[in-house]
Amino acid sequence: MYEQHLIRRIEAFPLAEFVTMARECGRLEIDATLRADAARLYELIRGFRADVSFMSEEAAAMLDLAERFLYGEWFIAEHGFANYPSYIGLAMVKCALGVHLRDDFRRGWEKCKTCMHILLNDLLSYEVSSLAGIFPWYPDHRMESVMRNRIAALNDLRTSLAAPSQGAVPIVSSGILSWSQYAEKGREHLALRHLTALPVSCEHDEYFFMRVLQMSECCFWGALSAVIAAIEATKFDCLEEAMAHMEQALEFLDFLQPITQVLKTMPPEHFWAFRDATDGSSAIQSRWFHLLHIYLHGLDERKVSIYADIPEISDLIHYGKPGFVSLRSLLRDFAPHATPELETFAEIASRLDASLYAYRCIHLGIVHRFLPPDAKQGTGGTSGIPYLRKHLTRRLWPLESEYPQPDLEELNALDIFQPLVGVGN
Ligand code: HEM
């Protein structure tokens, strides 16, 4: 298929109609023909991009945007459910974060903060507009007291985020633009606001829940990339730089806690009302969360069988191979050479570890509050609460006590090292 032909096919896809239908009645109620068209178009784009490597910059940008947006529909058509990355539109979030670019780390963290700001502002605007009665979508279980409490909590959160590099977002949501407008350079953030968070139900709180998940992913990404930058800096003996990066990671992790706490403004019944519709999607499929732990602690043998059963993360088992440098292995190497600088490094690492531990505790508290009384397990195929408890107390210290390492021969025998296909994962 020629480039121009494919571009015309994309332009002919009624994006505004698709998004408006998703807003009016939930993603799963969008006209079946339109959804099938979306899945087919995704396949065409993928096929074309696999075959053709040279195209105009504008065409490449539009194809990339469309592929990211349509991935979710393709995934649902293919598997019959939305997994976590397609549920939260992670491919689009990644585009706004610039994960695919080989940017300087620091620019990446600025982008990450901007994205968090945009998502937070959008959520606040959603609640305020709903409370004012000027937001027409997702009417189920829309409760005034819930919205008021949430607006207060979100406002507090906003004050704790540093000023964004982009301007504030208007409180009333704007109309849907065209593919080419979203694909223009510098408009990634409009796409983030308008084309992500497409709930599967009409529950008011599901949109809120999706935005919390997306903000958490931004924190995971920010913290993960900062920890990687710190580890890399130590390889060049740049300890001061490494410590600055660890402080940056800490900033992202510290923000995770209040974001998760805002979930407490959701009555459990509101969560139960849309939980079944999200079956197949669990944040246990979050690569960045697991990678963050792997970069801190190394691969934990007790999680190998869990990873192996989850296609979205099964390839992470690669990190169990020798030679991988985690923060823990670094600290162990540093231990015999105590200097004041290395002690400060270890002190920051311990704050990082404590913050992540606190997050796991808060998450467990949230899970206790929200899992339906009859839930026998989580939606990620684990035992749910017992699984989370088992991994709750995983800490960096004492350094000498190794976490059980996976058996290398067994690892090599596993035939699961291919990551899940598609731009969305
Ligand atoms: C109503 C709120 C929530 C409930 C009831 C809940 C429930 C659960 C459960 C039961 C698990 C165990 C895995 C499984 O599903 O089988 C889990 C894991 C997980 N959840 Fe949540 N969760 C909630 C909110 C969140 C949020 C907002 C995030 C942020 C992204 C999140 C991130 C995670 C992660 C990363 C894991 C994997 C933990 C690990 O493997 O150690 N959860 N959650």
Side-chain angles (χ1 to χ4, degrees):
M1 185 182 284
Y2 291 115
E3 183 181 309
Q4 282 314 315
H5 185 189
L6 184 57
I7 294 287
R8 274 201 295 280
R9 286 283 297 261
I10 296 173
E11 277 169 345
F13 181 85
L15 179 63
E17 191 188 330
F18 184 94
V19 175
T20 307
M21 279 169 115
R23 298 270 178 245
E24 278 170 1
C25 46
R27 178 179 202 143
L28 300 182
E29 297 302 318
I30 296 174
D31 178 71
T33 320
L34 195 52
R35 296 186 68 196
D37 280 351
R40 214 167 24 247
L41 189 52
Y42 169 83
E43 279 178 349
L44 282 179
I45 298 171
R46 249 186 86 79
F48 181 83
R49 292 186 87 188
D51 289 344
V52 181
S53 36
F54 292 106
M55 60 189 103
S56 68
E57 210 175 307
E58 293 78 23
M62 199 200 277
L63 260 54
D64 186 57
L65 174 80
E67 185 178 349
R68 287 170 187 277
F69 179 76
L70 299 169
Y71 171 78
E73 277 314 310
W74 172 80
F75 190 95
I76 298 172
E78 205 57 14
H79 300 268
F81 62 89
N83 66 351
Y84 175 72
S86 54
Y87 176 63
I88 65 166
L90 192 59
M92 298 288 291
V93 177
K94 278 173 159 178
C95 183
L97 287 170
V99 172
H100 55 303
L101 306 173
R102 294 286 177 266
D103 250 353
D104 178 79
F105 275 124
R106 291 167 197 82
R107 211 164 21 238
W109 299 327
E110 277 314 303
K111 274 195 183 142
C112 199
K113 286 176 203 170
T114 304
C115 285
M116 283 158 64
H117 224 280
I118 286 168
L119 294 171
L120 185 58
N121 269 346
D122 176 78
L123 182 53
L124 197 53
S125 123
Y126 170 71
E127 298 294 350
V128 169
S129 312
S130 298
L131 188 63
I134 54 173
F135 195 84
W137 302 312
Y138 310 131
D140 296 355
H141 287 116
R142 194 185 277 170
M143 275 173 60
E144 203 177 305
S145 57
V146 168
M147 291 186 280
R148 283 190 194 288
N149 281 343
R150 193 170 292 157
I151 289 166
L154 292 172
N155 256 324
D156 284 350
L157 249 185
R158 198 154 65 144
T159 50
S160 59
L161 252 187
S165 46
Q166 306 238 333
V169 192
I171 211 80
V172 182
S173 72
S174 10
I176 300 301
L177 309 177
S178 68
W179 287 107
S180 56
Q181 285 170 310
Y182 284 120
E184 270 171 37
K185 241 198 187 108
R187 288 206 152 163
E188 301 83 359
H189 299 113
L190 270 185
L192 178 69
R193 264 193 77 211
H194 295 178
L195 305 182
T196 67
L198 303 178
V200 291
S201 72
C202 272
E203 294 292 325
H204 175 82
D205 285 5
E206 193 190 346
Y207 187 91
F208 157 70
F209 183 61
M210 293 182 103
R211 286 292 190 222
V212 169
L213 291 170
Q214 291 169 340
M215 284 190 273
S216 307
E217 283 297 325
C218 290
C219 292
F220 294 156
W221 168 247
L224 168 65
S225 54
V227 169
I228 294 175
I231 293 175
E232 290 305 309
T234 63
K235 293 179 185 168
F236 296 96
D237 280 337
C238 301
L239 216 54
E240 207 169 303
E241 202 178 315
M243 288 192 279
H245 296 336
M246 301 248 284
E247 291 285 3
Q248 181 58 79
L250 202 54
E251 202 183 305
F252 285 115
L253 283 189
D254 284 347
F255 197 66
L256 253 182
Q257 298 172 25
I259 287 178
T260 313
Q261 301 272 22
V262 181
L263 277 178
K264 289 185 183 163
T265 60
M266 176 165 66
E269 314 81 72
H270 290 197
F271 175 63
W272 302 340
F274 65 81
R275 179 182 187 258
D276 283 349
T278 67
D279 231 9
S281 154
S282 162
I284 199 169
Q285 296 157 357
S286 164
R287 290 176 72 82
W288 290 339
F289 171 84
H290 294 294
L291 275 171
L292 184 57
H293 279 83
I294 289 173
Y295 270 93
L296 248 70
H297 301 268
L299 182 72
D300 182 346
E301 196 264 344
R302 295 166 303 170
K303 282 207 166 176
V304 167
S305 58
I306 301 282
Y307 289 173
D309 283 342
I310 303 177
E312 289 77 5
I313 53 174
S314 61
D315 59 301
L316 299 187
I317 295 171
H318 272 305
Y319 288 86
K321 294 190 174 170
F324 173 69
V325 179
S326 65
L327 191 57
R328 186 187 182 79
S329 66
L330 262 185
L331 288 163
R332 225 179 358 235
D333 289 349
F334 288 165
H337 317 284
T339 64
E341 212 184 10
L342 288 177
E343 269 170 33
T344 313
F345 182 86
E347 185 269 324
I348 306 174
S350 108
R351 279 193 279 132
L352 207 63
D353 180 47
S355 183
L356 199 52
Y357 173 60
Y359 168 69
R360 290 197 300 274
C361 291
I362 291 169
H363 173 260
L364 183 60
I366 291 285
V367 176
H368 271 287
R369 191 186 180 103
F370 284 106
L371 268 197
D374 59 344
K376 300 273 184 297
Q377 54 177 37
T379 48
T382 74
S383 56
I385 290 174
Y387 163 79
L388 292 169
R389 277 197 178 288
K390 184 173 166 190
H391 297 284
L392 184 75
T393 49
R394 198 171 131 85
R395 303 297 298 267
L396 262 178
W397 273 269
L399 295 173
E400 312 76 50
S401 66
E402 290 266 8
Y403 282 103
Q405 289 295 299
D407 181 275
L408 206 64
E409 265 183 39
E410 272 176 36
L411 267 189
N412 284 331
L414 291 171
D415 185 25
I416 50 171
F417 287 157
Q418 288 304 316
L420 203 70
V421 291
V423 66
N425 194 34

